[in-house]
Amino acid sequence: MGRAPCCDKTSVKRGPWSPEEDELLRSYVHNHGTGGNWIALPHKAGLNRCGKSCRLRWLNYLRPDIKHGGYTEQEDRIICSLYNSIGSRWSIIASKLPGRTDNDVKNYWNTKLKKKAIAMHHHQHQQQQEYYNNHHGSGGRGRRGAATPAPGAPQSQCASMHPSPASAASSAVTTASAGDAAACSFGGAMYSSPPTTLQAHQAAAALACYDGGAAATAATLPPQQQQQASSLTEFVSPATPTGAAINGWAGGGLVIDDMFLPELLGVGDFPPGDLFATGFAPLLQDRAPSSLQELAACYFPNAQAAEMWAAADHVKPLPPPAGLCHSLT
DNA sequence: AAGACTACCAACCGCATACCG
DNA sequence: GCGGTATGCGGTTGGTAGTCT
């Protein structure tokens, strides 16, 4: 059963807005506000437009505080980091960028930033390969070799290329292309350091929370990684440490990007690779509960999960992952 | 000069959720 | 609790300007 249409599409104007229409809408909202009723607004404002169209035009274009174009490198970083962490939840991402709209951020990502991220992804892989070849010989086998796929090799084993737990739980259908996946997996590190300890934990958390239950997923991992996932399980949900409980978080997986977190916390850069041991935990310890809830709300679509996370004991450091590759392969 | 191709972005569509009676 | 409606959101489309051949 489909929804009833919001208006009679045959009797309202569609397509690009004229300057006169813009002015009508702008002046009406300036004088009267939206009144909380977009359906009635076009009629009152003398516009032959669908209310939905008016709302979109106002939110995406006419609002006085809107910025168009001219994205800074810092904004790029924030977008990439958040995309890496929470997926294509553009409204949340846009809310962290004053003056930007979800539509604008989405277009910017799809047309420019994604390509930039993919290009840098390939570049990083090449550098990793060169580094590996220089230090281990080109035909090496071992863990590192297995964990660092050759350029152009299939990427499907990179844990962070799974849809993030949050986006996986989202009702929206995610149809990420291989390019999206590559850009997503790399976005968080786009301007940053080599893979960090936290990214290893992110990957474990993504596996533990996303893929249909921690217990089932963890069982498929090698022993060392099972321990990783288990540690994450405790960290993510200290009050409910079972796999089944984690599964019940419905998308509340802890996937916090190491780039964006410092900005949320209002601190400088964390030392790469040492977030939990020296940077992350003490900072969280000092946060007021309300501040933690605000932070958590950025990542947990489920309010209860956000509250639980914010109230949890964050100061318990995790054991270092002992060289676990961030790709978990 | 002109057609083909590409990039960009405003606008639309339809689903999910919140809200209200 | 339930059904109807409005709003929010993310994916997609279509028009246009710029670039290439």
Side-chain angles (χ1 to χ4, degrees):
Chain A
M1 186 183 79
R3 268 182 59 82
C6 62
C7 58
D8 180 4
K9 295 188 192 314
T10 60
S11 65
V12 296
K13 187 182 172 197
R14 299 169 69 186
W17 282 63
S18 67
E20 293 76 25
E21 288 176 310
D22 282 346
E23 190 48 43
L24 272 175
L25 179 57
R26 188 184 285 116
S27 65
Y28 182 87
V29 174
H30 182 258
N31 292 329
H32 304 94
T34 66
N37 187 348
W38 284 105
I39 298 299
L41 186 146
H43 179 68
K44 292 178 185 171
L47 284 160
N48 186 28
R49 288 274 182 176
C50 169
K52 212 169 172 176
S53 176
C54 292
R55 174 184 163 271
L56 216 55
R57 184 65 178 173
W58 172 256
L59 291 178
N60 289 338
Y61 199 82
L62 296 177
R63 267 192 304 166
D65 56 340
I66 293 289
K67 283 190 282 184
H68 290 287
Y71 279 82
T72 67
E73 199 156 288
Q74 184 181 13
E75 287 176 311
D76 288 0
R77 270 200 303 273
I78 292 172
I79 294 168
C80 286
S81 290
L82 279 175
Y83 187 92
N84 190 45
S85 298
I86 63 176
S88 58
R89 296 167 71 188
W90 303 116
S91 61
I92 294 175
I93 295 173
S95 73
K96 302 302 173 192
L97 301 169
R100 305 295 186 189
T101 68
D102 56 349
N103 207 35
D104 200 25
V105 171
K106 179 174 60 182
N107 282 333
Y108 181 58
W109 170 262
N110 283 331
T111 59
K112 294 178 184 173
L113 216 45
K114 185 163 75 179
K115 292 166 193 164
K116 195 172 172 182
I118 291 168
M120 296 194 70
H121 175 79
H122 290 318
H123 178 68
Q124 190 201 43
H125 265 296
Q126 282 177 351
Q127 286 192 328
Q128 285 177 340
Q129 188 65 38
E130 283 172 20
Y131 177 88
Y132 176 74
N133 288 345
N134 288 341
H135 288 78
H136 297 85
S138 57
R141 288 185 183 269
R143 274 185 64 87
R144 273 193 69 95
T148 309
Q155 302 290 310
S156 63
Q157 290 184 338
C158 175
S160 62
M161 285 170 56
H162 291 285
S164 70
S167 54
S170 161
S171 56
V173 176
T174 304
T175 54
S177 65
D180 281 328
C184 175
S185 72
F186 191 59
M190 186 165 162
Y191 295 90
S192 183
S193 52
T196 66
T197 308
L198 181 56
Q199 283 174 318
H201 287 78
Q202 289 175 4
L207 278 174
C209 300
Y210 162 60
D211 204 7
T217 306
T220 68
L221 298 173
Q224 186 186 27
Q225 289 164 24
Q226 285 186 29
Q227 190 182 349
Q228 288 290 320
S230 172
S231 300
L232 246 300
T233 298
E234 282 188 37
F235 179 82
V236 173
S237 180
T240 53
T242 66
I246 282 292
N247 199 26
W249 273 54
L254 179 68
V255 185
I256 297 177
D257 187 83
D258 54 327
M259 288 291 300
F260 190 64
L261 188 56
E263 291 185 51
L264 279 174
L265 292 172
V267 300
D269 290 339
F270 288 136
D274 203 18
L275 294 175
F276 277 87
T278 63
F280 187 49
L283 282 165
L284 287 178
Q285 193 172 28
D286 291 342
R287 304 297 286 189
S290 60
S291 172
L292 281 174
Q293 282 189 11
E294 190 182 341
L295 171 64
C298 297
Y299 290 94
F300 297 99
N302 177 325
Q304 188 185 2
E307 272 183 38
M308 288 173 66
W309 184 83
D313 174 15
H314 295 291
V315 301
K316 182 170 74 173
L318 285 165
L324 175 65
C325 171
H326 75 295
S327 68
L328 277 184
T329 51

Short mmCIF file of all heavy atoms in Angstrom, two decimals, chain A residues 27 120 168 187 222 297:
data_model
loop_
_atom_site.label_atom_id
_atom_site.label_comp_id
_atom_site.label_asym_id
_atom_site.label_seq_id
_atom_site.Cartn_x
_atom_site.Cartn_y
_atom_site.Cartn_z
N SER A 27 10.36 35.93 1.60
CA SER A 27 9.69 37.01 2.33
C SER A 27 8.58 36.47 3.23
O SER A 27 8.38 36.96 4.34
CB SER A 27 9.13 38.06 1.37
OG SER A 27 8.11 37.48 0.58
N MET A 120 43.10 8.62 -3.16
CA MET A 120 44.09 8.55 -2.08
C MET A 120 44.17 7.14 -1.51
O MET A 120 45.22 6.70 -1.04
CB MET A 120 43.74 9.56 -0.98
CG MET A 120 43.85 10.97 -1.50
SD MET A 120 43.87 12.19 -0.20
CE MET A 120 45.46 11.91 0.53
N ALA A 168 24.14 0.03 8.76
CA ALA A 168 23.55 -1.28 8.48
C ALA A 168 22.19 -1.40 9.15
O ALA A 168 21.28 -2.02 8.63
CB ALA A 168 24.47 -2.38 8.99
N GLY A 187 38.20 6.74 4.03
CA GLY A 187 37.85 8.11 4.37
C GLY A 187 38.46 8.57 5.67
O GLY A 187 38.96 9.68 5.78
N PRO A 222 40.00 -16.02 13.98
CA PRO A 222 41.11 -16.68 14.66
C PRO A 222 41.09 -16.30 16.13
O PRO A 222 40.52 -15.27 16.50
CB PRO A 222 42.35 -16.08 13.96
CG PRO A 222 41.85 -15.53 12.68
CD PRO A 222 40.42 -15.15 12.91
N ALA A 297 25.38 10.62 21.07
CA ALA A 297 24.21 10.79 20.20
C ALA A 297 24.60 10.91 18.74
O ALA A 297 23.81 10.64 17.85
CB ALA A 297 23.43 12.03 20.63
#
